[in-house]
Amino acid sequence: MISSTAIAHLKEKLGDANVLHEKEDLLTLGYDSTPGVHHLPEVVVYPTTTEEVIAAMEIAEREGLPLTPRGSGTGLSGGSVPVKGGMVLCLTRMNRILEIDEENLTATAEAGVITLDLFNAVAAKGLFYPPDPGSQKISTLGGNVAENAGGLRGLKYGVTRDYVMALKGVLADRSLIATGGKSVKDVAGYGFKDLLVGSEGTLGIVTEITVKLIPPPQDKRTILAYFNDVRTAGEAVSRIIAAKIIPSTMEIMDRAVINCVEDYVKIGLPRQMAALLLIEVDGHPAPVAEEAAGVQKILEQVKAAEIHVARDAEHAASLAAARRTALSALARMSPTTLLEDATVPRSRLAETFSEIERLTEKYRLKVGTFGHAGDGNLHPTVLCDERDHEEMERAHAFYNELYEQVLAWGGTVSGEHGIGLAKKEYLARQIGPGGVQVMKRIKQVFDPQGILNPGKIFDEGDPCTQVHVEEGFRVSH
């Protein structure tokens, strides 16, 4: 347990308002958006400068406390849960946009800046920051970097890593690290920047991020298509990509999600349809018109039940907003929503939906599936109650069997949510013992004492001999 002397030192260095240690305060910082995963830290600090990050880390070392970095807590794999207790470093008060460089097309911000705030700030200067995770209204840029977050525009524009040009931060020994810069080309030495992106705070505490900006698209068309069966929707996705059309957005929702979203936002979605595709193409007006026509032609060829083109920008925005409510809409339907992040080659999309339907029936569950169809990145979501242990066992068996098939098809256990606590065993299956050992050696170099976000991404023992993740990772305190 942290000493009263250490609490006093933290308050002296960071200020009383930036140090929480009472249990009622700690309760809200012991979990993220991952159901069933909770563990109390011993203290939570809110540094406002890099110097305060270092001061907090020094006191944590003296007290023998592990460190868990955290942003807004929107993670969906338990990455910011302080599973070993210790100190939570909450970076949400390091929230300044430091520079928007219009000559170099970059923006530099502290780790706690809200993603949408950065988007709006650069948009005001006629620039575009494409990564748009579903939680962009509250997620932080540092959290996006830690998890290498994706979003609805990932198909055309990529994920967070594709836009990170430079990082500054603090390593486990409290030394400063600065990697990357504003130079468009930089092949000097090892790619530390790329190693830190997606490392979930296990290798260092990222405090400042410089991202690449691009000119915004001049035009956009939004198309909504409904289908009488999910397989046809999957076929439409494959044909659109095969036609060499790369939409900026190609989102899918199945019937269960359509109904939950309609209950939530009431925009007139047809409840009887088996699937919905939301497709956006953007860019220069001429190719946008050509691509939109190509998409509509393909939708007609596969016999989509209904095809609608957004009337105007406001209508298009309302359709995209409805898609962004999918998880919230599902969460209203049951005490617990177990959300996964299965990603397959696009050619396997229709088969994946069929497999989800088969497993839903086999394990007698309520499942709604939505996701980024163009990326092959689906979020099958089990609506359940974590107090019902028998139902939870069936839910975890559902995911276990689904991931077996996903990996057999050459897919991945995470398209954008990271590994955290929830997917350690799945990751071990995907990359094998050799891959896990390499990760452990990298961790050892950056953090030989194992104080940075311990217990995440991989287990210390042989992960293939660990108790199954769904039975073993959920902790409480």
Side-chain angles (χ1 to χ4, degrees):
M1 178 175 291
I2 188 169
S3 68
S4 57
T5 302
I7 295 292
H9 285 165
L10 284 168
K11 290 183 175 179
E12 179 183 341
K13 295 288 186 181
L14 280 70
D16 288 0
N18 292 325
V19 180
L20 302 179
H21 58 95
E22 299 294 344
K23 186 171 182 178
E24 52 268 34
D25 294 322
L26 301 180
L27 282 170
T28 60
L29 280 303
Y31 59 87
D32 61 10
S33 298
T34 314
V37 186
H38 183 264
H39 198 286
L40 281 182
E42 293 179 49
V43 63
V44 177
V45 298
Y46 291 85
T48 58
T49 65
T50 298
E51 290 73 23
E52 290 182 358
V53 171
I54 294 171
M57 292 175 71
E58 182 177 8
I59 294 169
E61 183 182 19
R62 287 206 302 265
E63 293 288 307
L65 300 176
L67 291 156
T68 302
R70 177 189 174 95
S72 297
T74 57
L76 291 163
S77 59
S80 60
V81 175
V83 68
K84 302 291 186 183
M87 177 185 291
V88 166
L89 271 167
C90 194
L91 299 170
T92 52
R93 295 178 188 172
M94 294 183 69
N95 56 3
R96 296 175 299 167
I97 296 174
L98 302 173
E99 180 189 55
I100 298 173
D101 184 340
E102 296 179 73
E103 291 186 357
N104 287 303
L105 296 183
T106 64
T108 300
E110 292 180 325
V113 166
I114 300 296
T115 314
L116 188 59
D117 289 348
L118 178 70
F119 175 89
N120 288 334
V122 304
K125 292 183 177 294
L127 295 167
F128 185 43
Y129 177 63
D132 62 336
S135 56
Q136 62 175 345
K137 289 183 179 179
I138 52 173
S139 67
T140 62
L141 192 59
N144 297 165
V145 170
E147 302 295 331
N148 192 17
L152 276 63
R153 290 189 280 259
L155 172 59
K156 180 175 181 178
Y157 292 104
V159 296
T160 300
R161 173 177 279 120
D162 299 313
Y163 294 87
V164 174
M165 296 188 70
L167 295 173
K168 291 183 178 178
V170 186
L171 297 178
D173 63 0
R174 303 194 298 281
S175 61
L176 298 174
I177 185 171
T179 175
K182 294 182 180 179
S183 299
V184 175
K185 296 174 71 176
D186 181 1
V187 298
Y190 291 145
F192 291 141
K193 168 176 64 69
D194 293 318
L195 191 56
L196 290 172
V197 177
S199 65
E200 305 189 20
T202 62
L203 303 181
I205 308 295
V206 172
T207 57
E208 184 179 306
I209 301 132
T210 297
V211 297
K212 175 176 67 177
L213 307 174
I214 61 176
Q218 298 174 24
D219 194 14
K220 181 170 70 175
R221 303 282 177 89
T222 301
I223 301 165
L224 191 63
Y226 298 107
F227 299 85
N228 290 318
D229 65 273
V230 176
R231 179 170 287 275
T232 304
E235 181 185 352
V237 171
S238 297
R239 287 203 189 187
I240 290 169
I241 299 299
K244 301 179 178 58
I245 299 172
I246 307 298
S248 57
T249 294
M250 191 148 55
E251 299 291 304
I252 194 167
M253 299 193 296
D254 71 2
R255 179 182 286 124
V257 181
I258 290 171
N259 278 278
C260 289
V261 169
E262 180 58 22
D263 287 340
Y264 190 33
V265 298
K266 295 180 173 49
I267 59 171
L269 299 178
R271 295 176 179 275
Q272 75 279 10
M273 291 296 173
L276 167 163
L277 274 181
L278 174 69
I279 303 167
E280 291 184 346
V281 291
D282 68 7
H284 191 277
V288 164
E290 185 177 333
E291 290 180 350
V295 167
Q296 291 183 70
K297 182 178 180 181
I298 291 169
L299 293 172
E300 292 166 359
Q301 288 172 343
V302 301
K303 301 187 186 311
E306 296 180 25
I307 304 169
H308 303 272
V309 179
R311 297 183 299 273
D312 49 35
E314 184 178 355
H315 187 210
S318 71
L319 294 174
R323 157 61 186 89
R324 289 186 185 279
T325 67
L327 180 55
S328 301
L330 287 167
R332 297 169 65 245
M333 305 306 294
S334 64
T336 305
T337 50
L338 284 181
L339 173 73
E340 279 295 351
D341 191 23
T343 306
V344 296
R346 286 185 289 253
S347 60
R348 296 287 192 178
L349 195 64
E351 292 169 276
T352 305
F353 267 102
S354 296
E355 182 69 358
I356 290 170
E357 289 179 353
R358 183 185 74 80
L359 294 174
T360 298
E361 184 175 348
K362 176 179 178 180
Y363 291 106
R364 296 173 285 114
L365 294 165
K366 295 179 181 176
V367 179
T369 301
F370 63 99
H372 317 300
D375 303 337
N377 182 192
L378 297 178
H379 301 312
T381 305
V382 176
L383 308 180
C384 51
D385 185 343
E386 62 186 296
R387 295 166 297 186
D388 184 338
H389 297 295
E390 190 274 336
E391 184 183 43
M392 294 300 285
E393 287 181 1
R394 285 187 278 115
H396 294 314
F398 167 91
Y399 286 125
N400 190 48
E401 193 166 336
L402 177 62
Y403 272 126
E404 286 286 348
Q405 187 59 65
V406 165
L407 293 178
W409 283 332
T412 177
V413 300
S414 182
E416 58 183 5
H417 293 169
I419 301 301
L421 291 168
K423 298 181 184 176
K424 291 189 288 188
E425 189 222 350
Y426 296 141
L427 176 68
R429 290 189 210 173
Q430 179 174 334
I431 66 176
V436 173
Q437 285 303 321
V438 171
M439 287 190 175
K440 287 182 176 180
R441 288 199 288 271
I442 292 171
K443 168 76 171 174
Q444 177 69 19
V445 169
F446 276 79
D447 180 21
Q449 303 303 316
I451 62 170
L452 295 179
N453 211 6
K456 308 298 166 54
I457 301 181
F458 48 78
D459 285 312
E460 289 306 309
D462 180 356
C464 294
T465 64
Q466 299 291 318
V467 176
H468 192 269
V469 61
E470 287 83 6
E471 297 170 356
F473 85 98
R474 299 189 188 283
V475 293
S476 61
H477 181 73

